[in-house]
Amino acid sequence: RALGEGAVLAVLAGQDPAQEREVGQEGHVRLATGRKHGFLDLAPGARFDAVWASFSLQHAPRAALPAILAHVAGTLRPGGRLCLGVHEGTETLRDRLGRLYCHHTEAGMTALLRAAGLAVTEASFEDDTGYDGRPIRCMTLTAAKPRGTTGGWE
């Protein structure tokens, strides 16, 4: 579906699909379709100023991440930004709740983002505790699509 100018599409990974919202300029909230969406469901030709992937892509299988990042980069307008949070490290594991986690290093994620046509502009780190009680190191990267490029599928 098409989003109006100034609209925000919020896809909440791991949440009840009924909680997905579309927020318009006037601040009204409209429930989305009720089906679970993934990043690869973003339609070719969609043009976003920003995509916020807060600790969702770390649950994607490591081998799938390059294609997902290239797809997301293709949905960004020139100058658009991706804010991406993941757990830092090198492990691929399932937590005590059974969820898949693929941890990434700053260098490795920077290389994946560069291959997708994005340049890291900011990095921050924070020690925290995961939902299963394990200590974790959180990494948040902001990457930008260069102005004057389309990237992705074009």
Side-chain angles (χ1 to χ4, degrees):
R1 74 187 181 274
L3 295 176
E5 187 67 31
V8 174
L9 177 65
V11 179
L12 308 172
Q15 301 289 327
D16 179 347
Q19 293 178 339
E20 294 175 13
R21 306 280 195 268
E22 184 178 317
V23 182
Q25 278 180 266
E26 302 81 28
H28 65 278
V29 177
R30 185 171 39 164
L31 287 175
T33 60
R35 96 173 175 82
K36 189 173 181 180
H37 298 283
F39 286 99
L40 293 175
D41 292 325
L42 295 172
R47 289 291 175 250
F48 296 100
D49 293 319
V51 172
W52 183 46
S54 181
F55 299 90
S56 53
L57 289 177
Q58 67 186 6
H59 301 291
R62 195 174 300 278
L65 197 54
I68 293 170
L69 291 174
H71 191 80
V72 169
T75 69
L76 291 172
R77 291 184 176 122
R81 301 203 179 272
L82 168 64
C83 182
L84 170 70
V86 295
H87 294 174
E88 185 184 34
T90 57
E91 307 84 12
T92 298
L93 56 91
R94 292 205 176 266
D95 69 6
R96 292 178 223 168
L97 303 174
R99 296 174 303 176
L100 174 67
Y101 282 85
C102 295
H103 297 186
H104 297 273
T105 64
E106 181 180 8
M109 187 58 72
T110 297
L112 289 171
L113 290 165
R114 188 178 310 116
L118 302 173
V120 173
T121 59
E122 187 176 337
S124 63
F125 302 86
E126 180 179 1
D127 292 321
D128 204 348
T129 303
Y131 287 118
D132 69 348
R134 282 185 331 110
I136 55 172
R137 178 103 169 131
C138 299
M139 173 174 58
T140 303
L141 301 175
T142 301
K145 184 175 190 173
R147 296 196 181 276
T149 64
T150 54
W153 318 286
E154 300 161 339

mmCIF file of all heavy atoms in Angstrom, residues 1-10 20-32 48:
data_model
loop_
_atom_site.group_PDB
_atom_site.id
_atom_site.type_symbol
_atom_site.label_atom_id
_atom_site.label_comp_id
_atom_site.label_asym_id
_atom_site.label_seq_id
_atom_site.Cartn_x
_atom_site.Cartn_y
_atom_site.Cartn_z
ATOM 1 N N ARG A 1 0.844 -1.187 0.000
ATOM 2 C CA ARG A 1 0.000 0.000 0.000
ATOM 3 C C ARG A 1 0.876 1.232 0.000
ATOM 4 O O ARG A 1 1.991 1.209 0.515
ATOM 5 C CB ARG A 1 -0.941 -0.041 1.186
ATOM 6 C CG ARG A 1 -0.260 0.260 2.479
ATOM 7 C CD ARG A 1 -1.211 0.036 3.636
ATOM 8 N NE ARG A 1 -0.514 0.368 4.844
ATOM 9 C CZ ARG A 1 0.252 -0.448 5.515
ATOM 10 N NH1 ARG A 1 0.404 -1.669 5.119
ATOM 11 N NH2 ARG A 1 0.873 -0.062 6.596
ATOM 12 N N ALA A 2 0.370 2.308 -0.506
ATOM 13 C CA ALA A 2 1.128 3.551 -0.566
ATOM 14 C C ALA A 2 0.994 4.308 0.743
ATOM 15 O O ALA A 2 -0.070 4.328 1.349
ATOM 16 C CB ALA A 2 0.616 4.416 -1.715
ATOM 17 N N LEU A 3 2.091 4.898 1.169
ATOM 18 C CA LEU A 3 2.075 5.746 2.355
ATOM 19 C C LEU A 3 2.006 7.195 1.896
ATOM 20 O O LEU A 3 2.659 7.580 0.943
ATOM 21 C CB LEU A 3 3.340 5.549 3.183
ATOM 22 C CG LEU A 3 3.536 4.177 3.813
ATOM 23 C CD1 LEU A 3 4.879 4.131 4.520
ATOM 24 C CD2 LEU A 3 2.424 3.862 4.768
ATOM 25 N N GLY A 4 1.222 7.990 2.583
ATOM 26 C CA GLY A 4 1.121 9.400 2.252
ATOM 27 C C GLY A 4 2.370 10.154 2.654
ATOM 28 O O GLY A 4 3.173 9.681 3.455
ATOM 29 N N GLU A 5 2.533 11.347 2.095
ATOM 30 C CA GLU A 5 3.661 12.210 2.438
ATOM 31 C C GLU A 5 3.668 12.454 3.941
ATOM 32 O O GLU A 5 2.634 12.741 4.542
ATOM 33 C CB GLU A 5 3.545 13.537 1.691
ATOM 34 C CG GLU A 5 4.748 14.424 1.842
ATOM 35 C CD GLU A 5 5.999 13.872 1.189
ATOM 36 O OE1 GLU A 5 5.875 13.156 0.173
ATOM 37 O OE2 GLU A 5 7.087 14.143 1.695
ATOM 38 N N GLY A 6 4.807 12.289 4.577
ATOM 39 C CA GLY A 6 4.929 12.524 6.000
ATOM 40 C C GLY A 6 4.494 11.362 6.863
ATOM 41 O O GLY A 6 4.490 11.460 8.076
ATOM 42 N N ALA A 7 4.119 10.232 6.245
ATOM 43 C CA ALA A 7 3.668 9.080 7.018
ATOM 44 C C ALA A 7 4.861 8.259 7.490
ATOM 45 O O ALA A 7 5.934 8.297 6.896
ATOM 46 C CB ALA A 7 2.730 8.212 6.186
ATOM 47 N N VAL A 8 4.655 7.523 8.545
ATOM 48 C CA VAL A 8 5.666 6.627 9.096
ATOM 49 C C VAL A 8 5.047 5.245 9.157
ATOM 50 O O VAL A 8 3.946 5.076 9.674
ATOM 51 C CB VAL A 8 6.080 7.073 10.517
ATOM 52 C CG1 VAL A 8 7.027 6.058 11.133
ATOM 53 C CG2 VAL A 8 6.693 8.453 10.498
ATOM 54 N N LEU A 9 5.721 4.246 8.620
ATOM 55 C CA LEU A 9 5.266 2.865 8.745
ATOM 56 C C LEU A 9 6.094 2.220 9.833
ATOM 57 O O LEU A 9 7.318 2.166 9.745
ATOM 58 C CB LEU A 9 5.444 2.101 7.430
ATOM 59 C CG LEU A 9 5.059 0.620 7.476
ATOM 60 C CD1 LEU A 9 3.566 0.474 7.726
ATOM 61 C CD2 LEU A 9 5.458 -0.078 6.207
ATOM 62 N N ALA A 10 5.443 1.753 10.880
ATOM 63 C CA ALA A 10 6.138 1.120 11.992
ATOM 64 C C ALA A 10 5.874 -0.373 11.938
ATOM 65 O O ALA A 10 4.739 -0.806 12.003
ATOM 66 C CB ALA A 10 5.644 1.692 13.321
ATOM 67 N N GLU A 20 1.002 -3.261 14.535
ATOM 68 C CA GLU A 20 1.634 -2.436 13.513
ATOM 69 C C GLU A 20 0.781 -1.195 13.307
ATOM 70 O O GLU A 20 -0.432 -1.238 13.340
ATOM 71 C CB GLU A 20 1.756 -3.212 12.203
ATOM 72 C CG GLU A 20 2.689 -4.386 12.306
ATOM 73 C CD GLU A 20 2.708 -5.219 11.049
ATOM 74 O OE1 GLU A 20 2.199 -4.767 10.018
ATOM 75 O OE2 GLU A 20 3.235 -6.330 11.117
ATOM 76 N N ARG A 21 1.449 -0.077 13.097
ATOM 77 C CA ARG A 21 0.740 1.178 12.978
ATOM 78 C C ARG A 21 1.236 1.965 11.768
ATOM 79 O O ARG A 21 2.393 1.873 11.394
ATOM 80 C CB ARG A 21 0.976 2.061 14.210
ATOM 81 C CG ARG A 21 0.663 1.414 15.530
ATOM 82 C CD ARG A 21 -0.834 1.432 15.799
ATOM 83 N NE ARG A 21 -1.138 1.138 17.183
ATOM 84 C CZ ARG A 21 -1.394 -0.065 17.647
ATOM 85 N NH1 ARG A 21 -1.356 -1.096 16.845
ATOM 86 N NH2 ARG A 21 -1.690 -0.249 18.913
ATOM 87 N N GLU A 22 0.378 2.761 11.210
ATOM 88 C CA GLU A 22 0.770 3.766 10.242
ATOM 89 C C GLU A 22 0.424 5.107 10.872
ATOM 90 O O GLU A 22 -0.708 5.336 11.277
ATOM 91 C CB GLU A 22 0.012 3.572 8.936
ATOM 92 C CG GLU A 22 0.442 4.520 7.854
ATOM 93 C CD GLU A 22 -0.300 4.259 6.560
ATOM 94 O OE1 GLU A 22 -0.467 3.092 6.187
ATOM 95 O OE2 GLU A 22 -0.709 5.242 5.950
ATOM 96 N N VAL A 23 1.407 5.966 10.993
ATOM 97 C CA VAL A 23 1.214 7.246 11.659
ATOM 98 C C VAL A 23 1.342 8.341 10.613
ATOM 99 O O VAL A 23 2.349 8.434 9.925
ATOM 100 C CB VAL A 23 2.269 7.458 12.764
ATOM 101 C CG1 VAL A 23 2.027 8.769 13.489
ATOM 102 C CG2 VAL A 23 2.273 6.287 13.733
ATOM 103 N N GLY A 24 0.337 9.175 10.476
ATOM 104 C CA GLY A 24 0.345 10.254 9.496
ATOM 105 C C GLY A 24 0.847 11.552 10.081
ATOM 106 O O GLY A 24 1.120 11.656 11.271
ATOM 107 N N GLN A 25 0.972 12.562 9.226
ATOM 108 C CA GLN A 25 1.456 13.876 9.637
ATOM 109 C C GLN A 25 0.657 14.448 10.792
ATOM 110 O O GLN A 25 1.204 15.088 11.674
ATOM 111 C CB GLN A 25 1.332 14.852 8.472
ATOM 112 C CG GLN A 25 2.447 14.774 7.489
ATOM 113 C CD GLN A 25 2.219 15.789 6.390
ATOM 114 O OE1 GLN A 25 1.664 15.453 5.372
ATOM 115 N NE2 GLN A 25 2.629 17.018 6.609
ATOM 116 N N GLU A 26 -0.633 14.248 10.778
ATOM 117 C CA GLU A 26 -1.477 14.824 11.809
ATOM 118 C C GLU A 26 -1.387 14.047 13.119
ATOM 119 O O GLU A 26 -2.034 14.399 14.088
ATOM 120 C CB GLU A 26 -2.943 14.857 11.348
ATOM 121 C CG GLU A 26 -3.171 15.640 10.073
ATOM 122 C CD GLU A 26 -2.841 14.847 8.815
ATOM 123 O OE1 GLU A 26 -2.951 13.598 8.823
ATOM 124 O OE2 GLU A 26 -2.445 15.476 7.821
ATOM 125 N N GLY A 27 -0.606 12.987 13.161
ATOM 126 C CA GLY A 27 -0.433 12.220 14.377
ATOM 127 C C GLY A 27 -1.469 11.136 14.569
ATOM 128 O O GLY A 27 -1.449 10.432 15.562
ATOM 129 N N HIS A 28 -2.390 10.970 13.595
ATOM 130 C CA HIS A 28 -3.370 9.901 13.749
ATOM 131 C C HIS A 28 -2.692 8.550 13.522
ATOM 132 O O HIS A 28 -1.689 8.453 12.823
ATOM 133 C CB HIS A 28 -4.549 10.091 12.789
ATOM 134 C CG HIS A 28 -4.180 9.970 11.345
ATOM 135 N ND1 HIS A 28 -3.639 11.010 10.638
ATOM 136 C CD2 HIS A 28 -4.260 8.928 10.495
ATOM 137 C CE1 HIS A 28 -3.408 10.626 9.394
ATOM 138 N NE2 HIS A 28 -3.763 9.365 9.281
ATOM 139 N N VAL A 29 -3.231 7.526 14.143
ATOM 140 C CA VAL A 29 -2.675 6.184 14.042
ATOM 141 C C VAL A 29 -3.718 5.280 13.412
ATOM 142 O O VAL A 29 -4.886 5.282 13.794
ATOM 143 C CB VAL A 29 -2.289 5.641 15.443
ATOM 144 C CG1 VAL A 29 -1.779 4.218 15.342
ATOM 145 C CG2 VAL A 29 -1.246 6.539 16.082
ATOM 146 N N ARG A 30 -3.300 4.508 12.422
ATOM 147 C CA ARG A 30 -4.198 3.582 11.760
ATOM 148 C C ARG A 30 -3.576 2.195 11.818
ATOM 149 O O ARG A 30 -2.390 2.031 11.528
ATOM 150 C CB ARG A 30 -4.373 4.023 10.308
ATOM 151 C CG ARG A 30 -5.379 3.222 9.540
ATOM 152 C CD ARG A 30 -5.652 3.841 8.201
ATOM 153 N NE ARG A 30 -4.429 4.375 7.608
ATOM 154 C CZ ARG A 30 -4.321 4.684 6.330
ATOM 155 N NH1 ARG A 30 -5.329 4.543 5.522
ATOM 156 N NH2 ARG A 30 -3.197 5.151 5.849
ATOM 157 N N LEU A 31 -4.340 1.199 12.206
ATOM 158 C CA LEU A 31 -3.817 -0.167 12.255
ATOM 159 C C LEU A 31 -3.463 -0.642 10.852
ATOM 160 O O LEU A 31 -4.175 -0.347 9.893
ATOM 161 C CB LEU A 31 -4.850 -1.126 12.851
ATOM 162 C CG LEU A 31 -5.067 -1.018 14.355
ATOM 163 C CD1 LEU A 31 -6.198 -1.941 14.772
ATOM 164 C CD2 LEU A 31 -3.800 -1.353 15.119
ATOM 165 N N ALA A 32 -2.361 -1.374 10.747
ATOM 166 C CA ALA A 32 -1.958 -1.937 9.458
ATOM 167 C C ALA A 32 -2.758 -3.201 9.181
ATOM 168 O O ALA A 32 -3.753 -3.483 9.837
ATOM 169 C CB ALA A 32 -0.455 -2.214 9.467
ATOM 170 N N PHE A 48 11.935 5.831 1.479
ATOM 171 C CA PHE A 48 11.890 6.260 2.864
ATOM 172 C C PHE A 48 13.048 7.214 3.151
ATOM 173 O O PHE A 48 14.131 7.050 2.602
ATOM 174 C CB PHE A 48 11.983 5.061 3.812
ATOM 175 C CG PHE A 48 10.827 4.118 3.708
ATOM 176 C CD1 PHE A 48 10.928 2.941 2.989
ATOM 177 C CD2 PHE A 48 9.616 4.413 4.323
ATOM 178 C CE1 PHE A 48 9.854 2.074 2.892
ATOM 179 C CE2 PHE A 48 8.536 3.555 4.234
ATOM 180 C CZ PHE A 48 8.652 2.373 3.515
#
